[in-house]
Amino acid sequence: MAKEEALVINGLKKHFGHVKANDGIDLIVRAGTIHAIVGENGAGKSTLMKSLFGLHQPDSGEIHLWGEKVQFSSPLQALSHGIGMVHQHFMLVEALSVLENIILGAEPGKGILLSYKNSRKTVEEICQKYGLDLDLDAIVENVPVGIQQRLEIVKVLYRGARLIILDEPTAVLTPQEIDRMFEILREFKKDGCTVIFITHKLNEVMALADDVTVIRDGRTVGHWPISEVNEKILARQMVGRDVVLDLVKEDAQPAELVLQIQGLQTEQVNGDQKADGLSFNIRAGEILGIIGVAGNGQDALIEGILGLRKVEKGEILYLGEHINGVDTSYLRQKGVSCISADRLKTGLVREFNVRENAILGYHTGKEFVSNLLFQNKRIDHYVNQIIKEFQIKTPSLEAPITTLSGGNQQKLIIGRELHANPKLIIAVQPTRGVDIGAIEFIYQVLLECRRQNTAVLLVSNELEEVLSLSDRVAVLYQGRFMGCNTPDHLSKEDIGLMMAGVRPEGEGGSE
Amino acid sequence: MISFLTISIIQATVAIATPLYIGALGGLFNERVGVVNVGLDGIMLSGAFAAAITSYYTQSAWMGVLAALTVGALLGLLHAAICIEFKADHVVSGVAINILASSLTVFLLQLLFNNKGQSPSAPKIGQISNLDSIPILGPILNNMSYLTIIGLVLILLSHFFLYRTKMGLRLRSVGENPYAAQSLGIPVRRYMYLSVIVGCALVGLAGAFLSIGMLNVFTKNMTAGRGYIALAAMICGRWTPLGSLGASVFFGYVLAWQMNAQGLAIPAQILEIIPYLTTIIVLAFVAKRARGPAHVGKIFAPSEH
Ligand SMILES: Nc1ncnc2c1ncn2[C@@H]1O[C@H](COP(=O)(O)OP(=O)(O)O)[C@@H](O)[C@H]1O
Ligand SMILES: [Mg+2]
């Protein structure tokens, strides 16, 4: 054996009710390597890591850490065995400072007393060693996500972890920040740490990992040294069949102006980024992609258009009509649809079932209501139609919406929003957290809308998605556009720089 | 003439503020670990009752204080179990405690003393005395209950605990994001239980001040909404011990002034509105910017996260 094994997992199972999140996982991680775990959303990656970290108790299976059989009943034990984890959903206390978040649970100081002075010294040393720049006194809620990610990493280092798990760490980073993170992870490896890197982005695996394990539907499909695989093989293993994400996209046939926005400036809500002078047009039959790191004014822009947020300055014209400050329901009647970023927050009502969610927003329409009562037959007919057309997998119309997978929830929203033949679709992160099959489907649907002469405003932070779907791409940074052009005039590097607020050399600027 | 600052107004302010800041401190220990407790009023009432009858039967006021702390702690355990173990809605549990307390105390009064209105008089907690010789401070401190002093010490200790100790930092993190705290190995549920129990014991103590600190009897529903004003003081004080103290003293002053102004040519009904009106106005202004612990009132369900 060339290198000893840091972690061996055998036949691990974890079921939630009848959901088999982990259904026989095997994993071997060699010490001192970077090990990628890939799998689609819902494959069970996070569940596996939570079992390892003591947040879940596995139903069966064995975990051997550094050759010793372990079974952690709390994260405390995992921490004391040198496991550190950067969770997919950050585990930060927003009201506390950066420093307090780092030391929490392992505070320096004599007896019961807390010594901020010693803490600061230790943390500063770690930051210096890895070149991680942090303002220790900033309150976490005021810190951008990229920095919060860095904070999570320092937290792990502070505890002296030898096995570092990162659960989809790159989802919130710009391309440059991702490169920086990869450098840091290689640095860890040099120091003898073992890194488990979870992702569903295969290019990242190829760029970074030594070994890779693929998980599908809660089971290990296989594991390979990176030299033996490529992205295509991994994609097939992940999905269980060949994937074609090559899109057939005819040339755009832009027709009449659908949305014209001039100098849009919105109100700021809860200290988020406001839209700060945005101008653009979208024509029928055209997809405008807006890309930017989350939190750069996407919410403000969308809510401004939809009448959900006060517009302070500027003009919004929809089909030639001024729509500043009109009612959202009026816009929906006039053919504006929205696929919102957070399914369970603004797209669906968590407590409602499939049928109720499928008519949400149209529930007062004549086709569903007469004499003040719901016409259940007509509603069922309509919902069944959506389910068929959009290939939604659901046990029944009465199933609670939360029992559907992310992809199926998303398809239901899209089905509902497209049902009324909209003239403008605002799609915000339409593929966030859905599986590849659904992504494929959603892309096809958006392109079909474009063919049908619908104007599409696509807001996303997935670079590939925006580049392959859009006819024009605008980069949003701190509430303004850094640049706007057709995809073939924009390199990924340039977009990355603009997402970070740097205007690349020789770039023309906004339209 | 309406006077705004006399010895008697100051003394009344202190007396009225004492149960408010002890109660607010208790409420704060609930909310800082994410548990909403609108049952403060009922717990205060139960504390007042336990203190009065224990003091009556044992003829020792300090035994009464001990009983108030115990009853508060037990109700805290009940509330914690309902909210943490059974994951019920915090407000529903609090309301239930209020109803339980106001009916059970009356029932027990009837049972024990054959009197629905009040308990027999009982020994009182001691007071500072013989300080007349000191100028200015003397008359103010004179007749001040020992519980007032104890309350002030508790405020200072709590401030130190929350902001200067490791456990204090951990406790604060639990109410903000229990999942983050848990992922760092902090025993979240233990913190929640202990903090709610200690907090409710303090609320019981505030009740003891009402029955055997200020007076020497328990009377039916004697809290008269003070638990809610304590809750308001906690919010105006932004969930901090010193802030709660400040807000309690302010509310105490308004009430004291109102009592002092009675007998003047202002209609009593209008005067009686003033404290509640002030509470609402101050809350409306302060509460807008005041933000409680982020996870307050939410259910902590680690396995579903
Ligand atoms: N606490 C939980 N309760 C019920 N089901 C869960 C829970 N956590 C995860 N699941 C389900 O288990 C499956 C795997 O989820 P997860 O491990 O988060 O996937 P991944 O991280 O690979 O995207 C999903 O179907 C998810 O809905
Ligand atoms: Mg995951």
Side-chain angles (χ1 to χ4, degrees):
Chain A
M1 201 161 43
K3 264 185 171 169
E4 106 183 74
E5 278 124 20
L7 175 72
V8 178
I9 292 179
N10 283 325
L12 189 128
K13 290 190 184 180
K14 174 74 190 172
H15 297 183
F16 297 105
H18 53 265
V19 179
K20 298 175 178 173
N22 286 171
D23 196 30
I25 300 236
D26 302 316
L27 180 68
I28 297 174
V29 179
R30 292 182 294 145
T33 61
I34 298 180
H35 192 108
I37 297 181
V38 295
E40 291 201 74
N41 280 295
K45 307 179 296 290
S46 297
T47 304
L48 173 66
M49 289 304 133
K50 284 182 184 166
S51 295
L52 170 61
F53 195 62
L55 281 166
H56 288 323
Q57 305 310 312
D59 299 335
S60 64
E62 287 188 356
I63 302 175
H64 296 265
L65 189 67
W66 315 115
E68 173 198 351
K69 184 166 184 249
V70 292
Q71 164 77 303
F72 300 138
S73 56
S74 87
L76 193 59
Q77 294 172 330
L79 290 166
S80 68
H81 277 75
I83 301 183
M85 180 149 166
V86 175
H87 297 264
Q88 182 170 11
H89 305 284
F90 293 164
M91 293 283 191
L92 295 172
V93 184
E94 302 219 317
L96 297 182
S97 73
V98 169
L99 181 64
E100 286 170 323
N101 265 280
I102 294 171
I103 60 171
L104 183 62
E107 306 85 349
K110 277 202 200 81
I112 63 163
L113 296 182
L114 177 63
S115 164
Y116 281 102
K117 221 169 91 197
N118 292 352
S119 320
R120 189 177 297 273
K121 225 178 84 205
T122 323
V123 173
E124 274 169 356
E125 273 165 20
I126 295 171
C127 291
Q128 223 156 31
K129 180 172 171 207
Y130 289 99
L132 295 160
D133 199 18
L134 273 181
D135 174 5
L136 297 183
D137 296 313
I139 299 299
V140 169
E141 65 190 345
N142 302 328
V143 165
V145 276
I147 308 287
Q148 293 188 358
Q149 172 83 265
R150 194 177 298 170
L151 159 59
E152 285 282 23
I153 292 177
V154 175
K155 245 167 84 177
V156 167
L157 294 175
Y158 172 77
R159 285 170 175 71
R162 307 297 301 154
L163 173 62
I164 301 171
I165 303 166
L166 299 111
D167 194 352
E168 307 217 11
T170 58
V172 295
L173 303 182
T174 66
Q176 276 80 3
E177 283 175 314
I178 292 176
D179 288 343
R180 178 82 192 89
M181 158 170 267
F182 285 5
E183 276 171 39
I184 295 168
L185 296 185
R186 291 196 187 100
E187 195 80 8
F188 292 168
K189 189 169 108 177
K190 242 187 252 158
D191 285 355
C193 290
T194 309
V195 177
I196 295 181
F197 181 83
I198 295 172
T199 184
H200 61 255
K201 296 184 191 165
L202 300 174
N203 56 341
E204 295 179 353
V205 177
M206 300 310 295
L208 184 70
D210 299 304
D211 298 330
V212 54
T213 296
V214 177
I215 292 179
R216 190 200 319 148
D217 293 335
R219 297 211 182 99
T220 300
V221 181
H223 65 100
W224 301 268
I226 208 70
S227 54
E228 290 178 11
V229 287
N230 58 34
E231 287 186 38
K232 214 165 166 181
I233 299 175
L234 288 178
R236 191 181 320 124
Q237 295 295 345
M238 234 164 94
V239 187
R241 62 181 166 83
D242 283 321
V243 198
V244 265
L245 273 185
D246 295 331
L247 298 168
V248 191
K249 193 171 138 196
E250 313 81 16
D251 284 341
Q253 311 271 324
E256 77 277 11
L257 275 171
V258 173
L259 188 68
Q260 289 166 274
I261 291 188
Q262 256 319 313
L264 176 73
Q265 185 179 323
T266 63
E267 180 190 33
Q268 198 177 26
V269 177
N270 297 331
D272 73 349
Q273 176 65 50
K274 62 178 183 180
D276 195 11
L278 291 174
S279 304
F280 60 89
N281 297 326
I282 311 179
R283 290 176 179 275
E286 180 188 45
I287 299 182
L288 172 69
I290 293 184
I291 183 146
V293 177
N296 272 292
Q298 288 92 336
D299 295 349
L301 167 64
I302 296 149
E303 289 173 12
I305 298 174
L306 290 175
L308 295 169
R309 188 185 291 223
K310 209 163 131 194
V311 173
E312 283 173 347
K313 269 198 211 133
E315 283 297 330
I316 310 173
L317 284 159
Y318 170 66
L319 297 172
E321 186 186 345
H322 285 266
I323 57 162
N324 287 27
V326 303
D327 217 49
T328 310
S329 61
Y330 175 79
L331 289 177
R332 290 181 72 89
Q333 271 171 29
K334 287 277 174 181
V336 179
S337 277
C338 181
I339 302 164
S340 56
D342 196 332
R343 281 191 286 284
L344 289 172
K345 227 183 201 163
T346 46
L348 300 166
V349 177
R350 226 175 223 285
E351 287 75 16
F352 283 4
N353 63 25
V354 170
R355 179 201 283 123
E356 289 160 337
N357 270 298
I359 61 166
L360 209 61
Y362 301 107
H363 56 275
T364 54
K366 283 205 189 67
E367 62 176 315
F368 300 137
V369 185
S370 66
N371 301 329
L372 293 175
L373 294 174
F374 278 138
Q375 299 302 303
N376 283 329
K377 262 204 200 116
R378 266 183 268 163
I379 293 176
D380 286 357
H381 177 74
Y382 151 84
V383 180
N384 280 320
Q385 207 179 324
I386 291 188
I387 287 178
K388 212 166 112 203
E389 191 176 338
F390 290 86
Q391 302 162 18
I392 299 164
K393 276 187 220 140
T394 171
S396 73
L397 298 191
E398 280 75 34
I401 193 71
T402 45
T403 58
L404 270 60
S405 75
N408 284 310
Q409 292 174 357
Q410 192 72 341
K411 286 196 245 173
L412 183 73
I413 295 183
I414 294 175
R416 180 183 75 203
E417 295 298 312
L418 296 188
H419 177 75
N421 293 322
K423 299 200 177 63
L424 170 66
I425 296 173
I426 301 175
V428 193
Q429 309 245 42
T431 58
R432 186 165 86 169
V434 307
D435 52 88
I436 294 199
I439 291 178
E440 231 180 319
F441 186 83
I442 292 167
Y443 286 176
Q444 298 299 350
V445 168
L446 289 178
L447 287 177
E448 182 57 30
C449 291
R450 173 174 175 266
R451 250 170 248 135
Q452 303 291 332
N453 247 355
T454 307
V456 180
L457 175 61
L458 170 69
V459 181
S460 174
N461 48 23
E462 298 277 350
L463 196 51
E464 303 286 344
E465 175 170 303
V466 171
L467 283 176
S468 55
L469 287 174
S470 310
D471 298 305
R472 283 180 299 139
V473 176
V475 185
L476 188 64
Y477 176 73
Q478 295 195 344
R480 297 170 190 227
F481 286 141
M482 294 294 292
C484 180
N485 216 326
T486 53
D488 33 331
H489 284 92
L490 286 167
S491 70
K492 282 187 194 173
E493 289 68 35
D494 286 350
I495 294 183
L497 284 174
M498 288 193 275
M499 282 165 77
V502 184
R503 221 175 268 277
E505 308 273 319
E507 176 55 40
S510 64
E511 57 181 319
Chain B
M1 250 309 286
I2 302 178
S3 43
F4 286 96
L5 208 62
T6 61
I7 296 287
S8 73
I9 289 186
I10 294 176
Q11 280 190 334
T13 299
V14 170
I16 296 167
T18 299
L20 295 184
Y21 63 72
I22 300 179
L25 188 65
L28 179 158
F29 274 106
N30 279 268
E31 301 227 338
R32 279 290 186 167
V33 289
V35 175
V36 170
N37 195 340
V38 296
L40 246 50
D41 206 62
I43 298 173
M44 213 183 258
L45 188 68
S46 311
F49 179 80
I53 62 159
T54 309
S55 171
Y56 167 74
Y57 282 120
T58 62
Q59 288 299 305
S60 154
W62 292 110
M63 289 307 286
V65 168
L66 199 66
L69 285 167
T70 312
V71 166
L74 286 174
L75 286 171
L77 178 63
L78 176 70
H79 186 57
I82 292 172
C83 299
I84 304 167
E85 212 65 51
F86 301 108
K87 301 185 170 58
D89 187 273
H90 300 187
V91 174
V92 172
S93 167
V95 170
I97 287 176
N98 283 338
I99 296 171
L100 181 78
S102 72
S103 43
L104 203 61
T105 47
V106 173
F107 172 73
L108 287 174
L109 274 185
Q110 173 73 24
L111 198 71
L112 296 172
F113 310 113
N114 224 352
N115 181 338
K116 283 201 188 82
Q118 64 177 51
S119 71
S121 57
K124 257 178 102 159
I125 299 163
Q127 296 174 334
I128 297 173
S129 54
N130 300 328
L131 288 180
D132 287 323
S133 49
I134 308 174
I136 310 173
L137 267 185
I140 293 176
L141 287 176
N142 239 351
N143 299 332
M144 187 181 276
S145 169
Y146 290 142
L147 263 191
T148 299
I149 312 284
I150 291 175
L152 288 174
V153 172
L154 285 171
I155 292 271
L156 293 177
L157 278 179
S158 302
H159 176 80
F160 179 80
F161 171 78
L162 284 173
Y163 298 104
R164 289 275 166 254
T165 68
K166 299 174 184 177
M167 271 166 82
L169 178 66
R170 294 174 189 184
L171 190 148
R172 284 186 287 145
S173 76
V174 167
E176 293 286 347
N177 186 347
Y179 303 101
Q182 188 197 30
S183 77
L184 294 170
I186 293 167
V188 171
R189 287 157 52 92
R190 194 183 311 160
Y191 269 85
M192 291 175 79
Y193 266 105
L194 282 178
S195 192
V196 169
I197 290 171
V198 168
C200 292
L202 289 177
V203 179
L205 181 67
F209 180 84
L210 291 180
S211 61
I212 57 170
M214 212 148 59
L215 309 169
N216 59 356
V217 290
F218 172 85
T219 61
K220 176 183 164 185
N221 285 336
M222 74 185 306
T223 50
R226 278 187 189 76
Y228 294 102
I229 299 183
L231 217 48
M234 173 198 76
I235 294 169
C236 294
R238 307 215 166 167
W239 290 264
T240 64
L242 296 179
S244 302
L245 175 65
S248 301
V249 170
F250 172 76
F251 286 135
Y253 173 76
V254 175
L255 282 158
W257 178 84
Q258 172 236 346
M259 291 188 327
N260 197 261
Q262 267 164 15
L264 294 173
I266 308 167
Q269 289 87 340
I270 291 188
L271 272 178
E272 277 176 13
I273 297 173
I274 289 177
Y276 301 99
L277 206 60
T278 330
T279 310
I280 291 174
I281 292 171
V282 171
L283 261 184
F285 275 101
V286 179
K288 220 169 118 186
R289 284 201 295 142
R291 213 194 58 188
H295 202 262
V296 81
K298 296 185 188 157
I299 304 295
F300 174 57
S303 62
E304 287 154 37
H305 196 66

